[in-house]
Amino acid sequence: MAGGPDWVPLEVDTGRANVARVYDYWLGGNHNFLPDQDLGRAIAAVEPNTRAMARANREFLGRAVRFLAGAGIRQFLDIGSGIPTQGNVHEVAQHAAPGAHVVYADIDPVAVAHSKAILAGNDSTVVIEADLRDPEKILTDQSVRQLIDFGQPAGLLLVSVLHFIADADDPWRIVATLRDALAPGSYLVLCHGTDEGKPTVAQAAAKVYNRSVTTDLHIRSRAEILRFFEGFDLADPGLVPIPQWRPDKAAGMPADPGKFWGGLVGVGQKP
Ligand SMILES: C[S@@+](CC[C@H](N)C(=O)[O-])C[C@H]1O[C@@H](n2cnc3c(N)ncnc32)[C@H](O)[C@@H]1O
């Protein structure tokens, strides 16, 4: 946008809300504009726990990456990685396992541009602009191949991105394509929006969301989300609400776990 901040790529329409920037707004980041903030506030008005859920999602991502690093994973493919914020995957992974390789992929040019800026000089990490709906393209991308050895176990992170893929684009086929490219011992880390427990609020929030963004939100049932783990063995404690997945000993479970109903998370390993 002419006259916009210099981190905004020219082709980006900042006059329209965008999923990556709305999420950045909920997390308290600075890479969002008025339409993103308006939509973020409108959804938070429908479900006041939205910001807490976004933060819980981000904390789950950190716990899952530490879990994978502890299990010996040294390469991570994070698709739908978002605008960098606190606790980025490469920071968590490379803290737990120095030298770990991380590939970020996102469809959003702002997420990609900002990731490039913070990754400059980090040879173990790269970001590509990519669409999850074309997994073959991601798998054959040169810079992905340079950092990810598909003959070795890897961590595939699909955290809060699959609910932006419509049934018509067959997200289950997409995950199966990625799974088939992974070596045995690899992991899938997933968070997905659900209407389990609060269908009326979930439908109302999705309606507000889908009125304003170009990428529609598709919340799914537990059974539909479980299907993404076909060909993976689900690690304990299974597919659970966000804070219930292996809570950090220090932080523990929130006092009011019921408010985190909007997402189900799980980690599976390819046998
Ligand atoms: C809610 S954010 C999640 C960010 C990060 N994974 C996390 O959990 O903190 C969703 C991200 O998915 C990206 N996204 C949406 N549709 C996508 C697609 N088809 N391909 C790649 N990324 C996509 C958005 O641009 C956004 O950055």
Side-chain angles (χ1 to χ4, degrees), residues 5-95:
D6 56 9
W7 50 264
V8 182
L10 281 176
E11 72 273 23
V12 169
D13 176 6
T14 57
R16 186 108 202 246
N18 156 284
V19 300
R21 299 195 299 264
V22 172
Y23 179 65
D24 180 67
Y25 167 73
W26 285 330
L27 289 176
N30 299 318
H31 295 85
N32 50 75
F33 300 95
L34 209 53
D36 310 306
Q37 296 156 15
D38 285 345
L39 176 57
R41 276 191 291 267
I43 293 179
V46 176
E47 172 45 274
N49 298 314
T50 301
R51 285 189 187 83
M53 284 194 256
R55 280 197 299 272
N57 172 68
R58 197 73 197 164
E59 285 160 14
F60 158 72
L61 177 63
R63 295 199 299 282
V65 170
R66 279 194 293 278
F67 173 76
L68 265 54
I73 297 297
R74 296 293 178 266
Q75 39 182 12
F76 298 81
L77 176 55
D78 181 4
I79 308 178
S81 48
I83 294 172
T85 179
Q86 274 188 334
N88 294 307
V89 168
H90 72 284
E91 291 161 347
V92 178
Q94 290 167 0
H95 180 75

Side-chain angles (χ1 to χ4, degrees), residues 19-20 23 57-58 80-82 106-108 130-132 159-161 165:
V19 300
Y23 179 65
N57 172 68
R58 197 73 197 164
S81 48
D106 203 285
I107 201 169
D108 178 52
D131 187 342
L132 176 56
V159 181
S160 295
V161 61
I165 308 287

Side-chain angles (χ1 to χ4, degrees), residues 7 20 36 119 122 147 155 184 222 231 251 271:
W7 50 264
D36 310 306
L119 295 176
N122 186 331
L147 281 187
R222 171 177 290 267

Side-chain angles (χ1 to χ4, degrees), residues 61 64-65 68-69 73-82 89-90 93-94 100-106 124-132 134-150 152-162 174-175 177-183 186-190 232:
L61 177 63
V65 170
L68 265 54
I73 297 297
R74 296 293 178 266
Q75 39 182 12
F76 298 81
L77 176 55
D78 181 4
I79 308 178
S81 48
V89 168
H90 72 284
Q94 290 167 0
H101 288 184
V102 178
V103 173
Y104 291 113
D106 203 285
S124 310
T125 309
V126 77
V127 58
I128 60 165
E129 191 170 320
D131 187 342
L132 176 56
D134 191 353
E136 289 85 0
K137 194 164 174 207
I138 297 177
L139 290 169
T140 52
D141 185 282
Q142 274 291 95
S143 30
V144 175
R145 290 265 158 191
Q146 265 165 17
L147 281 187
I148 307 283
D149 173 359
F150 286 96
Q152 298 296 323
L156 170 63
L157 313 179
L158 297 175
V159 181
S160 295
V161 61
L162 282 167
I174 293 170
V175 176
T177 301
L178 294 166
R179 178 201 63 213
D180 291 348
L182 295 172
S186 296
Y187 286 89
L188 167 66
V189 175
L190 189 139
F232 292 95

